[in-house]
């Protein structure tokens, strides 16, 4: 009986030592995924620039009669989010009710996996 308790204690100790190592590996994978997301956003910005000869506007704020848009919406086609880009109406402001289905959709490239609550 004592030998069984010793074996259980040793197994519990090994598990206790193993868990922090597993958490470190998981966090390293999350950091790598976040860095990859940033790289993909940067590449999408450069592809947008190649196609339009300028970087996307940061926030149009309705200047010159343009609808209020942000760069996040403008680079959607370059992030392989074509379905979401087709759902988005670029002729109206981003907060127009016509764009509610599009803005309610989370784009995974814009979130790091280790962000609390995934937002």
């Amino acid at each position: 009986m004592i030998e069984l308790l010793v074996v259980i204690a040793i197994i519990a100790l090994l598990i206790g030592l193993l868990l922090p190592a597993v958490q470190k590996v998981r966090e390293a994978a999350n950091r790598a995924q976040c860095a990859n997301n940033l790289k993909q956003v940067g590449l999408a910005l450069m592809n947008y620039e190649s196609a339009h000869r300028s970087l996307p506007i940061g926030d149009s704020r309705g200047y010159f009669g343009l609808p209020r848009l942000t760069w996040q919406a403008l680079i959607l086609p370059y992030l392989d989010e074509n379905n979401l880009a087709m759902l988005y109406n670029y002729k109206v402001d981003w907060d127009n009710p016509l764009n509610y289905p599009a803005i309610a959709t989370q784009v995974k490239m814009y979130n790091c996996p280790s962000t609390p609550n995934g937002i």
Side-chain angles (χ1 to χ4, degrees), residues 79-106:
L79 286 173
D80 291 332
E81 293 286 344
N82 294 327
N83 292 336
L84 186 57
M86 290 185 341
L87 184 63
Y88 195 91
N89 187 344
Y90 293 95
K91 295 178 181 171
V92 297
D93 291 345
W94 69 269
D95 57 352
N96 188 297
L98 294 173
N99 282 328
Y100 285 171
I103 62 174
T105 305
Q106 283 193 3

Side-chain angles (χ1 to χ4, degrees), residues 42-63:
L43 287 172
L45 287 166
M46 292 299 103
N47 288 335
Y48 180 96
E49 191 274 333
S50 293
H52 298 276
R53 299 280 190 213
S54 68
L55 288 170
I57 191 164
D59 183 4
S60 66
R61 298 190 188 270
Y63 296 133

Side-chain angles (χ1 to χ4, degrees), residues 59-79:
D59 183 4
S60 66
R61 298 190 188 270
Y63 296 133
F64 310 113
L66 296 172
R68 290 183 302 140
L69 300 173
T70 62
W71 63 270
Q72 291 97 336
L74 294 172
I75 68 168
L76 284 174
Y78 304 96
L79 286 173

Side-chain angles (χ1 to χ4, degrees), residues 1-24:
M1 188 70 148
I2 293 175
E3 290 177 9
L4 182 62
L5 291 174
V6 169
V7 169
I8 292 173
I10 290 172
I11 291 173
L13 181 65
L14 290 174
I15 290 174
L17 293 173
L18 185 64
L19 283 177
V22 170
Q23 292 298 334
K24 285 182 183 179

